[in-house]
Amino acid sequence: MRWYKRLYLGPNAACNIGKIRRKAEEGRRQPGVYYITLASTPGNLLDIFHDIMLAQPLFAEVQRLDIVGVAIGQQEAYRLAERIVFELYQETGAFDVASYFQEDDFC
């Protein structure tokens, strides 16, 4: 699991990001937490998944875990993904998410 250095946060997640990150790194499940990651399938922009998915061994093998955003609740996750794509388009004029987020932007 790698975290984007300028992590995008939903308003509810921003209040608890320290606790969310700590629990995620400890492997503790967090109901209501959604992660926005770089797409694991070519042609997609981003993936949104619930924290519970991390408990599935097959999921962890397939999913790309470069986390760019964290939200609490499904609607907040959708809004945050929309904001990420909108800001990316504003800055670059394109939807090339994969090349926008560089390897050294993650820790």
Side-chain angles (χ1 to χ4, degrees):
M1 179 178 294
R2 298 183 324 157
W3 300 86
Y4 183 54
K5 290 179 183 174
R6 296 180 308 246
L7 193 63
Y8 287 89
L9 299 171
N12 294 320
C15 300
N16 300 305
I17 191 58
K19 184 168 55 170
I20 291 170
R21 284 183 70 159
R22 185 178 67 252
K23 285 183 176 182
E25 290 169 2
E26 292 171 356
R28 294 169 56 196
R29 302 290 59 98
Q30 303 175 79
V33 174
Y34 286 80
Y35 299 105
I36 300 166
T37 66
L38 298 180
S40 56
T41 305
N44 291 351
L45 298 176
L46 298 167
D47 289 341
I48 300 173
F49 66 91
H50 191 274
D51 179 78
I52 296 298
M53 297 299 293
L54 288 175
Q56 305 300 318
L58 180 61
F59 181 80
E61 291 174 18
V62 176
Q63 178 62 40
R64 186 170 178 184
L65 293 177
D66 293 331
I67 299 171
V68 297
V70 178
I72 295 180
Q74 191 174 35
Q75 290 301 314
E76 183 172 290
Y78 291 150
R79 286 189 205 106
L80 185 58
E82 176 185 17
R83 188 177 104 205
I84 293 168
V85 172
F86 181 76
E87 287 180 14
L88 177 127
Y89 185 76
Q90 290 276 319
E91 286 184 35
T92 66
F95 294 105
D96 190 6
V97 174
S99 65
Y100 179 76
F101 294 101
Q102 303 296 313
E103 280 296 312
D104 25 331
D105 289 340
F106 292 89
C107 56

